[in-house]
């Protein structure tokens, strides 16, 4: 289990057998499953390779599992409202949740709620980070997709309301899915909408590059890692493949000729909710309301494998590298997950989960004295460490000469 | 014999009267004619080409320009003009020599030579495009600079006229050379104090960088007029520079629409065309290695900006430095102009001058190389000059015209002034309104933006501006569209900078009264509409009552507009769609009340407007909170209408619209009567659509699937569908289609049972059909139908027994 392997993480809305399960991409065997509740659409996310987060369908909390402890539920994060979409930043420092028409941003290390962004006019449908965690994109039922810069959102000046870097306002019906490509701030974003179009945008400029009009509403969209192809899951169960490169550039001429007019994946009988492409771009994973997850070969457009579920599939995605200790049952997460606060400014609220530092100040003179002495001690030890560090490094510097 | 022979030797010639004398053998033929060869003349013509009426070629004329006598030079210039007018090809051949000689004449001591040179320059500029003049422009601008800084006042004055010509024809070329020209402008109206030490410190307020206004008493015109001449050119020059700025966002609200479309032209694709398409798509022109040039990220400044760009205004610091010298001078001119008049009444001349000052200030702020730096400059201007501006500009703010009888007796001076303003056009007479509006525009840019600052500090001078704007908008009936645009820009700034306050509400109210006027021209109405929709969409002012009222009134306007003005309707619809998607309650309510007239099958917007707008209208249905039965019946009739009018239904967009509607109904599923009627109509129209979509198998499948799902899930639907098929109301052409629909329905296994339950209805329809066909030769479709019918029923019986 040392070699990194790609795994499929999927969930369905019935949650009969499990809330979400991990499958091997190539053999389709069920490796792990996590129980308790069920997850809503576009809300299952892996945080920092240590936790799996999934928003409970129709309830106002988020289920949390440690990746190595399958089966039982570890924690519930209670939120101010029903969570419609959820995502964790790739660097594992932030968690974003869409609750009604607001975006909530938590810092994972402290559990502080850093920002509530009220720029959308209707319920959120999708949240995505860029791969370098510098930006995130939010889509909602008000036809808008917004591109936010994380640094401009995470700021301590309360008087300044964060503004999105770009507003993508050219869809005419609610946004259903967003895919963010690689390359950080220079990535391209694909948005799908009920208005039967998929549009491709540039994060850096907010300009639209491409708009493809289909016959059906598009419920899910993804790009392969090279961004050669755009995959769009329709509400009729068809998956459409749009080639983003001119065929003259393609090396494989023979394939081009016989694939003419054969750019659809047929097999699902109901709307396609989620799509994901493997790291090498050869396999496509799709989940649908017909209660199956299918794996496709991109070149030949055949369904390789079908994984049956007990309800409409809400989440299915290929994780490029399975977390290292997913299969080591005795490992522990490096950092325990703190309680996520429900209010914006943690120092102002005393009744619920305030940070311990803030509490002790309010406990009276004795406690403050104790606290002061504690702090002094800490300063002393820190000074000592500093001195040791200095001595060590100076020795190291002098020795070679 | 011999005797005879001798006689033969000397034969006597006998001459007779009436006979021609035979020509002798040795006669010389003199019938040829000779012509002279004039070689020198031929050579001369080849070398000099066409000449003037004085027989002078271009070479002579050009060489005559070096003559010491002014009259010869003037004659040569006139001759050149004559020559070039008659032979325009010469201009291209001799452009280099011509321009250098003409440019040298800019600084000629004699006035008549200069004016002749100017006339020639104007002629040359007319016929030579700017890219051909480009190589010679450094020379031209050097001579121009020379003339502008000349010690003689008259040469300086004429340099302005040269500048006019160049600005008119080569603004871009001139703008690239602003590094030299801007200081020249300053020197024209002021002089630099050479480290005057104490003196400079004395007037530190005015001449900060050591510049002071200069007065030259020996000039032909008054100092005020002279300054006006210079400032007029300066403002035009700055305008040219500003227009040269790359990717400059226009300040005027009308042009903002362009931004909406984006800088890059996105590809629009239709899935149907794609797989069978003519080659693939090339989305990433740089193959992803570099982002498009429109990216807002600036990792490092663009180094390779092109060689022509001067260094002077390439950064904010430089612009600021320039402003530091210019603004105090402008203020000084302002004070001097105002000093003569007391109060807010101004003479016409003063007003023109002041307008120029304000225009220059306005342009100054737009000189920044990048758009986002404008804010920076604004803040700097505010910190440095706000107090001065308040003191001088706002003291007598709403300026008016001094009511003196027009000076008829001073006609000569009037003409003089006209000369000064040659080419100035409308600037010669300025309305006080234009002055005031420009003043507002300048001042409003200085107002503080951003939260956290007490707004009261600006209140003292924003108050008068606000009341002025309000009064102008409410009372001013004769606003030109340009002035209105400027006023709207002022209002926008005011409202955005102090949002949610009662004062801005008043301003909006004023604009709204303007908007409600009936006799507005189309562009003005569009401008006002855009102003409001921008406030709503871009600035997201959603607490304003006026804006809410405006939004709520939009559906009514849309209904009233009908098909009269599709462009205006499209603009309204765009706003409506956004507002509906943003859950604006008032709008949704208003939309709901007017829905029936909007979606009226006869003259509702959904029928009369172009396809794009129709699509928007149908998409708006998605956001409606409720679907009252009247609306449904309207919609069903629209569908029916569309169904039996093949031209409309065949369009794929309509097909898509129907799908949207069908999905809407899936969402809010209430089995009521009207709804069922509506659905049956929907199905019918979709089925007929199905038959028309022969070419696209994929679409057919989709439509058929949708129909099937609806019909098999609700059995009553089928019955309604069959009931609504009245054979007697149809014309004969529609029969085959109907028969095809029926046989399609009967052939399907899932539907067959439902069909059998409605057998009596079916039978009735088929009987009617056969009857109306008139019993002539049985057509193929009828045979097919009857066959299907019998198979269906017999199969059913087979199941029974």
């Amino acid at each position: 289990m040392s070699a990194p392997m790609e795994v499929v993480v999927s969930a369905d809305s019935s949650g009969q057998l499990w809330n979400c399960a991990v499958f091997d991409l190539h053999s389709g065997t069920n490796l792990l499953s996590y129980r308790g509740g069920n997850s809503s659409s576009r809300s299952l996310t892996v945080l920092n390779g240590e936790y799996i987060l999934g928003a409970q369908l129709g309830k106002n909390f988020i289920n949390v599992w440690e990746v190595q402890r399958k089966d039982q539920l570890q924690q519930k994060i209670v939120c101010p409202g029903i969570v419609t979409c959820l995502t964790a930043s790739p660097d594992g420092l932030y968690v974003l949740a869409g609750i009604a028409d607001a975006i909530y941003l938590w810092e994972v290390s402290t559990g502080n709620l850093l920002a509530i962004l009220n720029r959308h006019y209707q319920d959120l449908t999708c949240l995505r980070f860029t791969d370098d965690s510098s930006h995130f994109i939010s889509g909602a039922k008000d036809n808008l997709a917004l591109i936010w810069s994380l640094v401009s959102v995470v700021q301590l000046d309360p008087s300044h309301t964060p503004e999105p870097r770009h507003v993508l306002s050219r869809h005419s019906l609610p946004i259903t899915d967003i895919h963010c490509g690689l390359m950080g701030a220079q990535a391209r974003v694909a948005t799908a909408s009920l208005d039967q179009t998929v549009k491709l945008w540039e994060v850096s400029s907010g300009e639209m590059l491409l708009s493809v009009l289909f016959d059906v509403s598009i419920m899910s969209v993804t790009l392969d890692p090279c961004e050669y192809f755009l995959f769009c899951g329709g509400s009729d169960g068809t998956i459409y493949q749009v080639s983003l490169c001119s065929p003259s550039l393609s090396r494989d001429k023979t394939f081009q000729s016989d694939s003419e007019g054969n750019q659809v994946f047929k097999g699902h009988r109901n709307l396609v909710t989620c799509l994901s492409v493997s790291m090498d771009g050869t396999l496509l994973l799709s989940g649908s309301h017909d209660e199956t997850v299918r794996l496709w070969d991109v070149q030949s457009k055949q369904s390789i494998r079908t994984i049956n579920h007990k309800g409409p599939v809400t989440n299915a995605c290929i994780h490029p590298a399975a977390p290292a200790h997913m299969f080591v049952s005795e490992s522990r997460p490096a950092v325990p997950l703190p309680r996520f606060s429900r209010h914006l400014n943690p120092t102002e609220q005393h009744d619920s989960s305030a940070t311990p530092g803030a509490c002790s100040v309010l406990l009276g003179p004795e406690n403050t004295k104790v606290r002061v002495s504690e702090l002094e001690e800490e300063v002393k030890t820190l000074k000592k460490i500093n001195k040791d560090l200095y001595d060590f490094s100076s020795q190291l510097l002098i020795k070679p000469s | 014999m011999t005797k005879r022979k001798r006689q033969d030797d000397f034969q006597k010639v006998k001459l007779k009267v009436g006979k021609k004398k035979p020509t002798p053998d040795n006669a010389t033929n003199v019938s040829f004619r000779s012509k002279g060869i004039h070689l020198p003349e031929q050579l001369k013509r080849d070398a000099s080409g066409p000449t003037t009426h004085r027989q002078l070629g271009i070479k002579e004329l050009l060489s005559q320009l070096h003559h010491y006598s002014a009259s010869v030079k003037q004659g040569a210039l006139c001759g050149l003009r004559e020559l070039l007018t008659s032979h325009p090809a010469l201009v291209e051949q001799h452009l280099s020599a011509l321009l250098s000689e003409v440019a040298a004449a800019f600084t000629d001591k004699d006035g008549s030579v200069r004016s002749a040179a100017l006339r020639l320059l104007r002629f040359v500029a007319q016929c030579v495009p700017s890219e051909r003049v480009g190589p010679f422009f450094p020379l031209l601008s050097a001579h121009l600079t020379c003339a502008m800084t000349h010690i003689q006042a008259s040469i300086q004055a004429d340099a302005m006229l040269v500048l006019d010509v160049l600005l008119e024809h080569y603004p871009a070329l001139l703008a690239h050379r602003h590094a030299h020209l801007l200081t020249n402008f300053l020197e024209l109206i002021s002089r630099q104090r050479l480290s005057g030490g104490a003196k400079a410190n004395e007037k530190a307020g005015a001449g900060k960088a050591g510049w002071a206004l200069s007065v030259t008493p020996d000039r032909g015109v008054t100092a005020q007029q002279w300054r006006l001449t210079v400032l007029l050119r300066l403002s035009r020059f700055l305008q040219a520079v500003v227009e040269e700025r790359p990717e400059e966002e226009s300040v005027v609200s009308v042009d903002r629409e362009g931004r909406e479309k984006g800088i890059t032209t996105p590809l629009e694709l239709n899935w149907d065309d794609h797989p069978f398409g003519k080659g693939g798509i090339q989305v990433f022109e740089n193959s992803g290695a570099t982002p498009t040039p429109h990216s807002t990220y600036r990792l490092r400044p663009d180094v390779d900006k092109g060689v022509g760009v001067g260094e002077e205004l390439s950064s904010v610091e430089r612009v600021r430095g320039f402003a530091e010298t210019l603004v105090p001078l402008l203020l000084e001119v302002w004070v001097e102009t105002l000093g003569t008049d007391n109060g807010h009444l101004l003479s016409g001349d003063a007003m023109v001058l002041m307008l120029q000052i304000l225009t220059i200030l306005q342009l100054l702020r737009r000189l920044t190389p990048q758009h986002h730096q404008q804010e920076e400059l604004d803040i700097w201007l505010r910190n440095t000059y706000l107090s001065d501006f308040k003191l001088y500009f706002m003291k007598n703010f709403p300026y008016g015209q001094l009511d003196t009888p027009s000076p008829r007796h001073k006609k000569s001076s009037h003409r003089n002034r006209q000369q000064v303003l040659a080419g100035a056009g409308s600037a010669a007479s300025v309305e006080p309104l234009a002055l005031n509006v420009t003043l507002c525009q300048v001042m409003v840019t200085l107002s503080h933006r951003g939260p956290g600052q007490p707004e009261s500090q600006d209140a003292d001078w924003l108050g008068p501006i606000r009341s002025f704007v309000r009064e102008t908008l409410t009372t001013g009936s004769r606003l030109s569209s340009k002035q209105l645009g400027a006023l709207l820009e002022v209002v926008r700034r005011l409202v955005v900078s102090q949002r949610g306050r009662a004062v801005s509400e008043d301003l909006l109210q004023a604009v709204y009264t303007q908007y409600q006027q009936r006799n507005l021209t189309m562009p003005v109405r569009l401008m006002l509409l855009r102003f409001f929709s921008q406030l709503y969409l871009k600035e997201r002012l959603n607490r304003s009552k006026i804006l809410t009222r405006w939004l709520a009134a939009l559906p009514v306007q849309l209904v009233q507009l009908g098909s009269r003005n599709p462009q205006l309707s499209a603009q309204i619809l765009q706003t409506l769609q956004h507002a509906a998607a943003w859950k604006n309650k008032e709008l949704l309510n208003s939309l709901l009340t007017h829905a029936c007239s909007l979606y009226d099958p006869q003259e509702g917007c959904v029928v009369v407007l172009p396809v794009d707008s129709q699509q928007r209208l149908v998409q708006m249905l998605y956001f409606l909170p409720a679907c009252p039965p009247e609306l449904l019946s309207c919609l069903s009739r629209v569908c029916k209408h569309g169904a039996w009018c093949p031209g409309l239904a065949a369009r794929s967009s309509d097909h898509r619209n129907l799908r949207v509607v069908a999905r809407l109904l899936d969402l809010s599923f209430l089995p009521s009567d009207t709804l069922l009627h509506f659905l049956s109509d929907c199905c019918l129209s979709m089925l007929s659509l199905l038959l028309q979509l022969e070419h696209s198998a994929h679409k057919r499948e989709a439509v058929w699937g949708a129909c099937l799902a609806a019909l098999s899930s609700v059995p009553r639907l089928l019955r309604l569908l069959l009931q609504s098929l009245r054979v007697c109301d149809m014309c004969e052409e529609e029969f085959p289609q109907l028969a095809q629909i029926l046989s399609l329905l009967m052939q399907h296994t899932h539907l067959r049972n439902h069909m059998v339950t409605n057998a009596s209805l079916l039978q009735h329809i088929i009987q009617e059909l056969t009857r109306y066909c008139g019993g002539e030769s049985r057509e193929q479709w009828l045979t097919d139908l009857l066959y299907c019918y019998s198979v269906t029923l017999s199969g059913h019986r087979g199941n029974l027994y």
Side-chain angles (χ1 to χ4, degrees), chain A residues 60-170:
Chain A
N60 64 339
F61 57 83
I62 299 168
N63 300 314
V64 181
W65 299 267
E66 290 174 17
V67 281
Q68 81 288 359
R69 292 169 67 188
K70 47 191 183 179
D71 295 348
Q72 67 266 56
L73 191 63
Q74 265 78 49
Q75 195 176 338
K76 281 181 181 174
I77 301 171
V78 181
C79 295
I82 295 172
V83 180
T84 52
C85 48
L86 181 76
T87 190
S89 68
D91 59 8
L93 297 180
Y94 300 97
V95 167
L96 278 176
I99 296 173
D101 58 355
I103 304 168
Y104 284 64
L105 174 67
W106 282 285
E107 192 179 32
V108 172
S109 56
T110 60
N112 284 347
L113 180 57
L114 296 180
I116 301 175
L117 306 169
N118 280 307
R119 256 308 293 266
H120 281 291
Y121 295 85
Q122 301 228 26
D123 289 356
L124 267 289
T125 53
C126 193
L127 284 165
R128 290 280 183 264
F129 267 104
T130 56
D131 60 342
D132 63 348
S133 309
S134 65
H135 289 71
F136 62 90
I137 300 108
S138 62
K141 288 184 179 167
D142 58 359
N143 313 353
L144 295 181
L146 306 179
I147 297 176
W148 303 81
S149 161
L150 191 68
V151 278
S152 75
V153 171
V154 184
Q155 54 184 341
L156 298 173
D157 181 15
S159 64
H160 192 277
T161 49
E163 280 291 305
R165 182 181 268 281
H166 297 296
V167 179
L168 317 179
S169 63
R170 299 177 69 166

Side-chain angles (χ1 to χ4, degrees), chain B residues 129-165:
Chain B
S130 76
E131 62 267 17
R132 302 201 58 152
V133 173
F136 312 110
F137 208 78
L139 187 77
L140 271 180
S141 95
H143 279 287
L144 174 65
T145 313
C146 206
M148 279 170 81
T149 52
H150 204 274
I151 199 160
Q152 271 193 29
S154 54
I155 293 181
Q156 281 186 10
D158 283 348
M160 294 289 97
L161 301 178
V162 174
L163 192 70
D164 276 341
V165 174

